[in-house]
Amino acid sequence: MTARHLISPPPEMRVSPRGLLAVIGLGALAVAWWPVVVVFRVPAPVEATVLLAHLCGMLAGYAVVVLLGLMSRTPALERGVGADVLARWHARGGRIVIGLILVHAAAVVLAWAQSRQESTLLALWHVLRLPWLMAATIGTVSLLAVGAASARAARRRLSYESWHTLHLLTYAGVALSFVHQLAGPDLTGHRWLQICWALLYTYVFALVLLHRVLTPLRQATRHRLRVAAVVPEGPGVVSIAVDGRHLSELRAEPGQFFRWRFLTPDTWRSAHPFSLSAPPTDNRLRLTVKALGQGSAHLQDIPVGTWIGAEGPYGAMTAARRTRRNVLLIAGGVGITPMRALFETLPVRPGQDLTLLYRARGPEDLVFSHELEQIAHWRGARLLYLVGADHDCLSAPALLRVVPDLAHRDVYLCAAPRMSDAVRAPLRDAGLPAEYLHEERFAF
Ligand SMILES: Cc1cc2nc3c(=O)[nH]c(=O)nc-3n(C[C@H](O)[C@H](O)[C@H](O)COP(=O)(O)OP(=O)(O)OC[C@H]3O[C@@H](n4cnc5c(N)ncnc54)[C@H](O)[C@@H]3O)c2cc1C
């Protein structure tokens, strides 16, 4: 890998989830090792609070970098690990960071109080007066505010946009606590370590800037995306054909999604994730939108000619994940969109089987029936509709009745979170090993 590839890897590069976890784990070990060295170097008995303060402080600083990296939208991570998995790791990691920061702060104050025989309150006052501590405390408070807003109960009450805007506070929080890290007892006096730490932060901020700001801007001017047609597919569902230039440079794959920002006065503020519902070509992309809330309802009659900013492609639920001969696609509701594109394009050789199970509440909720039947016909693939409110058709015995070799297939699953949750256990009970289940959840 060249230096250029580190900051901007080739679009086809993929980092596997295991590979990424291994790198994060090794990084954590390396970071945890240093404060232990620092603490044991001092020729005095080591207090547990002191060791805890050092360890948690360094690990929190490291975990923050990891969290930013996970959300940097680096293509190798998005394609290899998948946006939904990255978002879940980020959410879990956020809780760990907050825990580490709180333990670090408490341990520092306690250690100070013990070593100087002061009350905890007086120790807190002295600690806060240390250089850059006030800035770090404000940074910590902003991280706590973001954490509180992300807690399930609060998240449900906030609109996605408000929650997302609040999340931008994280960057301010990280910047405010950065100098405290450099000036802290583990790094101060170690010029090379300070440089490496600063480079780590610079690198990850560069990734965020590149992939979340500069690349979308470059793509907007290069590809000049506009709405070409809006086609009703069913009640509250439309397909939006998008025209653009040089789209093959994006290397978008069936199964992936973009974050679409439609530039009208009503819709420009939010970028919504929608999957490609047809294989991409050099001058056309297609997405299909179900009206589930205000943002998606506005798109039902978006004017032809509207300019679009699109970020992506993202998502790991592509043909690259396939390792077995036969494939089962399971789509629930509007989760049919990426499955429609995969159903048309997943390679099927003679003797191999491709089956699509399409679950919908009622016949009126089925979209693309005509297209799906045509694809099934010319590809020799199987198409099964599971229509009705009853969830029994998704039990392990029911699934095995229609796909007896289920345990020996790659299974692609895309549905709303509730249906995905309802299918995961039956798939496991039917004998499918977890590594052969490839999922895109329509929720972050
Ligand atoms: C990877 C992915 C692919 C998707 N593909 C499709 C698709 O092909 N077709 C389709 O109809 N729907 C798809 N969705 C769902 C679609 O993104 C949401 O229905 C839409 O964003 C809802 O926005 P809203 O303002 O209409 O509804 P709201 O009522 O504001 O939100 C409904 C739900 O969508 C979530 N949401 C809202 N805005 C965003 C956002 N900007 N980013 C992430 N989540 C958001 C909210 O948290 C909430 O859970 C996909 C979702 C994801 C995560």
Side-chain angles (χ1 to χ4, degrees), residues 33-46:
W33 165 81
W34 180 247
V36 176
V37 171
V38 169
V39 169
F40 280 96
R41 252 195 199 163
V42 180
V46 175

Side-chain angles (χ1 to χ4, degrees), residues 9 25 43 56 89 112 149 190 193 216 220 283 315 323 345 353 386 402:
C56 290
W89 289 0
W112 185 288
H190 303 281
L193 280 183
N283 56 10
T323 52
T345 53
D353 180 81
L386 303 175
V402 286

Side-chain angles (χ1 to χ4, degrees), residues 107 142 154 186-187 191 207 398 404:
S142 50
D186 292 294
L187 298 185
R191 177 67 57 85
L207 286 180

Side-chain angles (χ1 to χ4, degrees), residues 419-432:
M419 175 176 152
S420 298
D421 293 344
V423 182
R424 227 168 283 128
L427 286 173
R428 197 183 50 230
D429 295 345
L432 182 77

Side-chain angles (χ1 to χ4, degrees), residues 389-405:
D390 184 5
H391 269 317
D392 278 354
C393 58
L394 297 173
S395 66
L399 289 170
L400 282 169
R401 256 195 309 279
V402 286
V403 189
D405 67 338

Side-chain angles (χ1 to χ4, degrees), residues 116-200:
R116 288 168 176 77
Q117 309 282 311
E118 287 176 357
S119 71
T120 319
L121 261 184
L122 193 59
L124 175 65
W125 169 246
H126 283 138
V127 167
L128 282 177
R129 290 178 58 199
L130 290 174
W132 293 101
L133 234 293
M134 210 28 122
T137 305
I138 296 170
T140 301
V141 170
S142 50
L143 290 182
L144 289 177
V146 174
S150 303
R152 207 165 287 167
R155 177 77 178 80
R156 255 188 252 125
R157 281 194 214 116
L158 281 175
S159 74
Y160 181 86
E161 283 72 27
S162 317
W163 173 77
H164 191 256
T165 311
L166 195 63
H167 236 76
L168 298 180
L169 262 185
T170 326
Y171 295 104
V174 173
L176 281 170
S177 54
F178 175 67
V179 184
H180 160 64
Q181 295 175 39
L182 288 188
D186 292 294
L187 298 185
T188 200
H190 303 281
R191 177 67 57 85
W192 281 108
L193 280 183
Q194 285 177 320
I195 291 173
C196 289
W197 200 253
L199 283 178
L200 187 67

Side-chain angles (χ1 to χ4, degrees), residues 255 275 317 326-343 346 353-360 366 372 382-387 390-407 409-433 436-442:
S275 307
M317 196 186 62
N326 296 339
V327 178
L328 171 64
L329 307 176
I330 305 179
V334 77
I336 188 63
T337 50
M339 293 302 177
R340 148 75 185 77
L342 285 169
F343 195 47
L346 269 180
D353 180 81
L354 174 65
T355 298
L356 169 62
L357 288 188
Y358 179 9
R359 169 106 176 89
L366 292 170
L372 292 172
R382 270 203 309 161
L383 169 65
L384 299 168
Y385 295 119
L386 303 175
V387 180
D390 184 5
H391 269 317
D392 278 354
C393 58
L394 297 173
S395 66
L399 289 170
L400 282 169
R401 256 195 309 279
V402 286
V403 189
D405 67 338
L406 187 158
R409 290 180 178 236
D410 275 299
V411 177
Y412 289 72
L413 168 64
C414 186
R418 206 188 289 169
M419 175 176 152
S420 298
D421 293 344
V423 182
R424 227 168 283 128
L427 286 173
R428 197 183 50 230
D429 295 345
L432 182 77
Y436 298 109
L437 176 61
H438 318 296
E439 248 190 282
E440 185 70 77
R441 295 188 206 176
F442 272 8

